[in-house]
């Protein structure tokens, strides 16, 4: 058996050979922290390719369907930009551009002969997290021991996307075993954040986040068990969606903790253009994935739900602002983004139901209320107890440091989770008496993390996303602003007695405005289980309000 370093070296050589040599560029000096402008200044992309890679998903699809742009041209443009992105931030694992271009040519030929598109994603290049098996390719998921294991068939979602007309062209980097909110492994190394390469892009879908931030893919697929779509989306300044369990098929993909079915990992879209969230979800759901994956939920795309039939048809929406989770107080840029979003919504005419959801007593526009704690810290502990129950055996000697718990102890944790889910539901329903709309709060707007993208190795708290996995609430991430050292200076009035505990203080003391400079600042919008359509629409409304306010 070769030494592991030999296996890795051989794998890296295979990866390098999959890159067209004429697309290799000289990256900027290491002292250049923000590399987002480099793909358009390096000279590799033509003016038309720059135009293509700056075009939103909905417009790309229209131009593909009308044959104004060919699938080959669009796939080539994004492939070139993806290869440049990889040389900047090390975001790719498998590169199969020849296969993608052959597929794109088939799609162009079909459209030319029939005058029809293959499906709703006709000709759209799509990048995939390094879990989604593709026939004939390795899926190492960061494990050296999985090098050389070639997939015999596609994951169900890959088949669905291909049937819809999509063109998979690259797969993206992750942390070994996935269960870490950054992106580093011993096979492919570390992915960095294109807005500031000294910062993490997050994880575990960090390769997707970094690639899409550099516009090397119009639409990608990440997975999320505790925040792995939303954290890299937030850290890289893009849009992302964590759907409810079973809305997107998972069958045939590789994963950690397989067989654990209390808190399921889900696949979700990541994109530069908000239109991409609806395009992806509608295409996948309309393909009837429940006929291909026994765990997929039998729920058709609901256009009435998208038009907010259960939310006053989008009039006088009422959002709850969660300023912090009662465990870790967010850094100044996150607080500023919440204030910006609140002001934008009020200006747009929605009710400013601005209270600390769920912990402290705060001022609403028309009253002062005590807000009942809703166990966010305990929800996070439940998640880790469930994940750790069998993780020692699952990860073997790779990542786990716990021996797990017994089956009976696991049942008690699952029972506790069930009870808290009911408590949270009752709590949400009870807000109907306070919103002034006759309905409960339409959605919660909250941080995706207590900080913008931190330095590598410093992403120490994920509970702002994990609680929604435990509750199975769908959630989007949307961009708001970037860290500005002038606007986001440290508040020296934030004395230790205002912190919840030492951990909270330690997180705050990480903050240095200059270190975080230029990092994207994003927020989450959270809805109720299986209401993806409404969550997407409400995110569009919030995004439009922010754009109007700017």
């Amino acid at each position: 058996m070769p030494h592991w370093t030999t296996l890795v070296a051989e794998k890296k050589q295979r990866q390098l050979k999959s890159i067209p040599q004429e697309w290799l560029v000289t990256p900027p000096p290491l002292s250049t922290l923000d590399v987002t402008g480099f793909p358009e200044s390096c000279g590799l992309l033509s003016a038309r390719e720059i135009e293509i890679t700056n075009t939103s998903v909905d417009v790309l699809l229209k131009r593909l369907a009308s044959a104004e742009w060919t699938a080959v041209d669009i796939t080539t443009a994004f492939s070139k930009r993806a290869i440049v992105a990889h040389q900047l931030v090390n975001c790719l694992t498998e590169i199969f551009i020849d296969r993608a271009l052959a597929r794109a040519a088939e799609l162009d030929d079909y459209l030319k002969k029939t005058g029809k598109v293959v499906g709703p994603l006709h000709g759209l290049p799509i990048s995939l997290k390094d879990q989604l098996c593709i026939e004939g390719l390795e899926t190492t998921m960061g494990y050296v021991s999985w090098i050389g294991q070639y997939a015999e068939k596609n994951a169900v979602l890959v088949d669905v996307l291909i049937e819809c007309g999509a063109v998979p062209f690259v797969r993206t980097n992750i942390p070994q075993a996935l269960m870490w909110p950054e992106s580093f492994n011993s096979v492919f190394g570390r992915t960095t954040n294109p807005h500031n390469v000294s910062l993490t892009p997050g994880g575990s879908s960090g390769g997707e986040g970094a690639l899409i931030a550099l516009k090397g893919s119009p639409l990608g697929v990440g997975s999320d068990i505790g925040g792995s779509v939303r954290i890299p989306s937030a850290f890289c300044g893009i849009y992302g969606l964590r759907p409810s369990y079973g809305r997107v098929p998972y069958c045939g993909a590789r994963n950690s903790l397989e067989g654990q079915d209390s808190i399921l990992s889900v696949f979700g879209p990541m994109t530069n253009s908000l239109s991409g969230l609806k395009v992806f979800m509608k295409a996948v759901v309309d393909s009837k994935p429940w006929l291909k994956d026994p765990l997929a939920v039998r729920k058709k795309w609901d256009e009435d739900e998208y038009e907010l039939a259960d939310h006053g048809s989008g009039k006088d929406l009422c959002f709850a602002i969660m300023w912090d989770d009662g465990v870790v107080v967010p850094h100044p840029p996150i607080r500023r983004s919440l204030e910006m979003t609140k002001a934008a919504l009020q200006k747009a005419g929605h009710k400013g139901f601005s209270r600390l959801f769920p912990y402290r007593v705060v001022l609403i526009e028309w009253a002062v209320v005590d807000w009942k704690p809703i166990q966010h810290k305990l929800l996070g502990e439940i998640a880790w107890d469930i994940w750790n129950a069998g993780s020692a055996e699952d990860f073997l000697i790779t990542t786990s440091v716990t021996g797990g718990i017994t089956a009976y102890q696991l049942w008690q944790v699952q029972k506790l989770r069930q009870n808290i889910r009911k408590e949270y539901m009752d709590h949400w329903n009870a807000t109907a008496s306070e919103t002034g709309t006759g309905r409960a709060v339409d959605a919660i707007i909250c941080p995706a993390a207590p900080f913008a993208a931190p330095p590598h190795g410093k992403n120490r708290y994920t509970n702002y996303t994990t609680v929604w996995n435990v509750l199975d609430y769908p959630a989007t991430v949307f961009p708001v602003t970037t860290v500005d050292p002038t606007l986001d200076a440290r508040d020296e009035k934030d004395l230790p007695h205002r912190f919840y505990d030492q951990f909270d203080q330690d997180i705050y003391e990480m903050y240095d405005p200059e270190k975080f400079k230029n990092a994207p600042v994003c927020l989450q919008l959270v809805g109720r289980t299986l209401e993806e359509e409404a969550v997407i629409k409400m995110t569009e409304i919030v995004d439009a309000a922010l754009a109007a306010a700017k």
Side-chain angles (χ1 to χ4, degrees):
M1 180 71 178
H3 192 267
W4 74 269
T5 54
T6 302
L7 292 172
V8 169
E10 291 172 350
K11 175 61 183 169
K12 293 286 281 184
Q13 273 301 113
R14 291 201 294 279
Q15 185 196 52
L16 184 60
K17 286 180 180 177
S18 68
I19 297 174
Q21 296 302 292
E22 64 272 21
W23 293 357
L24 295 177
V25 297
T26 302
L30 295 177
S31 58
T32 304
L33 296 180
D34 183 349
V35 297
T36 54
F38 184 80
E40 294 182 14
S41 65
C42 69
L44 180 63
L45 276 70
S46 68
R48 189 178 187 213
E49 287 166 340
I50 291 171
E51 180 189 2
I52 288 171
T53 53
N54 278 284
T55 301
S56 63
V57 168
D58 54 338
V59 175
L60 283 171
L61 289 169
K62 286 175 185 173
R63 292 183 180 176
L64 281 160
S66 68
E68 181 181 348
W69 287 346
T70 68
V72 167
D73 285 347
I74 288 181
T75 301
T76 300
F78 279 103
S79 295
K80 289 171 77 171
R81 192 152 183 158
I83 295 302
V84 175
H86 179 61
Q87 294 172 77
L88 295 171
V89 295
N90 191 40
C91 53
L92 305 181
T93 56
E94 305 299 320
I95 301 164
F96 42 100
I97 291 165
D98 287 346
R99 184 189 293 205
L101 288 172
R103 163 72 174 160
E106 290 173 3
L107 292 167
D108 287 335
D109 187 54
Y110 181 89
L111 179 62
K112 187 175 181 180
K113 287 179 177 177
T114 68
K116 298 177 182 179
V117 295
V118 165
L121 302 178
H122 182 99
L124 187 72
I126 289 189
S127 49
L128 304 170
K129 186 174 183 176
D130 197 62
Q131 284 180 263
L132 282 151
C133 297
I134 297 176
E135 183 180 356
L137 298 180
E138 297 162 277
T139 308
T140 68
M141 218 171 75
Y143 284 121
V144 174
S145 58
W146 288 3
I147 292 174
Q149 296 183 14
Y150 292 85
E152 296 181 359
K153 61 181 180 180
N154 294 337
V156 166
L157 181 56
V158 174
D159 279 338
V160 165
L161 293 172
I162 290 172
E163 288 166 13
C164 288
V167 183
F169 69 118
V170 291
R171 284 218 312 259
T172 53
N173 204 24
I174 38 78
Q176 178 178 274
L178 305 179
M179 302 292 291
W180 190 47
E182 300 196 25
S183 295
F184 171 83
N185 61 73
S186 296
V187 180
F188 298 104
R190 185 183 300 280
T191 301
T192 58
N193 192 313
H195 296 277
N196 183 334
V197 294
S198 70
L199 306 177
T200 180
S204 59
S205 311
E208 280 297 330
L211 173 66
I212 293 167
L214 284 164
K215 301 180 181 177
S217 172
L219 183 64
V221 180
S223 67
D224 194 313
I225 193 173
S228 291
V229 162
R230 290 160 293 155
I231 291 168
S233 294
F235 287 179
C236 295
I238 64 174
Y239 300 93
L241 169 68
R242 181 261 169 203
S244 307
Y245 305 149
R247 202 78 203 273
V248 176
Y250 214 101
C251 185
R254 304 200 86 163
N255 200 10
S256 289
L257 308 184
E258 287 192 284
Q260 180 278 117
D261 62 357
S262 295
I263 302 172
L264 295 174
S265 178
V266 298
F267 286 126
M270 301 168 69
T271 178
N272 267 311
S273 51
L274 183 49
S275 63
L277 300 185
K278 182 185 179 184
V279 162
F280 174 89
M281 288 301 298
K282 189 173 188 308
V284 170
V285 170
D286 282 348
S287 75
K288 299 183 179 179
W290 50 86
L291 298 178
K292 305 174 179 76
D293 180 344
L295 298 184
V297 173
R298 191 182 186 94
K299 184 190 174 192
K300 296 179 180 179
W301 177 265
D302 190 334
E303 194 64 22
D304 286 340
E305 186 178 304
Y306 174 72
E307 295 299 337
L308 301 179
D310 294 331
H311 296 272
S313 298
K315 299 171 184 176
D316 294 322
L317 287 172
C318 183
F319 297 97
I321 306 288
M322 186 176 97
W323 300 99
D324 77 62
D325 67 349
V327 185
V328 173
V329 177
H331 287 178
I334 311 300
R335 172 77 188 201
R336 180 168 63 87
S337 72
L338 288 164
E339 291 169 347
M340 289 173 64
T341 304
K342 174 188 170 184
L345 288 169
Q346 288 176 326
K347 186 177 179 182
H350 302 297
K351 288 188 175 291
F353 188 57
S354 171
R355 66 187 185 190
L356 197 85
F357 190 108
Y359 280 90
R360 297 178 185 162
V361 179
V362 298
L363 183 66
I364 327 178
E365 285 197 335
W366 55 90
V368 176
V369 297
D370 291 328
W371 192 249
K372 179 183 175 184
I374 304 296
Q375 314 282 15
H376 277 219
K377 185 174 184 180
L378 181 56
L379 284 164
E381 292 168 354
I382 286 170
W384 284 106
D385 281 346
I386 288 171
W387 294 334
N388 285 338
S391 62
E393 292 174 82
D394 188 59
F395 296 156
L396 296 176
I397 59 171
T398 54
T399 59
S400 182
V401 293
T402 177
I405 58 179
T406 68
Y408 180 77
Q409 289 170 329
L410 175 61
W411 295 345
Q412 304 318 300
V413 174
Q414 291 168 332
K415 180 180 177 182
L416 177 60
R417 172 181 176 242
Q418 178 179 312
N419 292 339
I420 294 179
R421 288 182 74 183
K422 177 62 165 67
E423 182 182 353
Y424 218 102
M425 176 189 288
D426 292 344
H427 171 67
W428 195 319
N429 290 339
T431 64
S433 64
E434 303 175 58
T435 61
T437 65
R439 305 184 310 276
V441 160
D442 292 295
I444 302 166
I445 293 171
C446 64
F451 31 62
H456 298 291
K458 300 295 186 182
N459 191 10
R460 299 169 56 199
Y461 188 72
T462 63
N463 222 33
Y464 275 98
T465 50
T466 300
V467 291
W468 312 123
N469 296 81
V470 181
L471 294 166
D472 193 25
Y473 288 167
T476 55
V477 160
F478 57 93
V480 179
T481 185
T482 58
V483 175
D484 183 322
T486 302
L487 295 175
D488 301 316
R490 278 185 61 141
D491 182 1
E492 297 307 328
K493 295 176 185 176
D494 241 336
L495 299 172
H497 69 265
R498 292 185 58 190
F499 297 120
Y500 288 108
D501 55 24
Q502 187 59 51
F503 179 73
D504 181 22
Q505 184 173 348
D506 291 346
I507 294 293
Y508 181 77
E509 288 177 353
M510 282 172 50
Y511 182 59
D512 177 343
E514 289 298 329
K515 265 187 190 172
F516 286 77
K517 185 176 181 180
N518 205 44
V521 181
C522 298
L523 296 175
Q524 288 184 98
L525 186 143
V526 182
R528 306 229 211 177
T529 306
L530 291 173
E531 121 169 301
E532 284 73 25
E533 291 91 336
V535 165
I536 291 169
K537 184 67 172 184
M538 286 189 280
T539 305
E540 292 172 357
I541 288 169
V542 173
D543 192 66
L546 282 164
K550 289 174 184 175

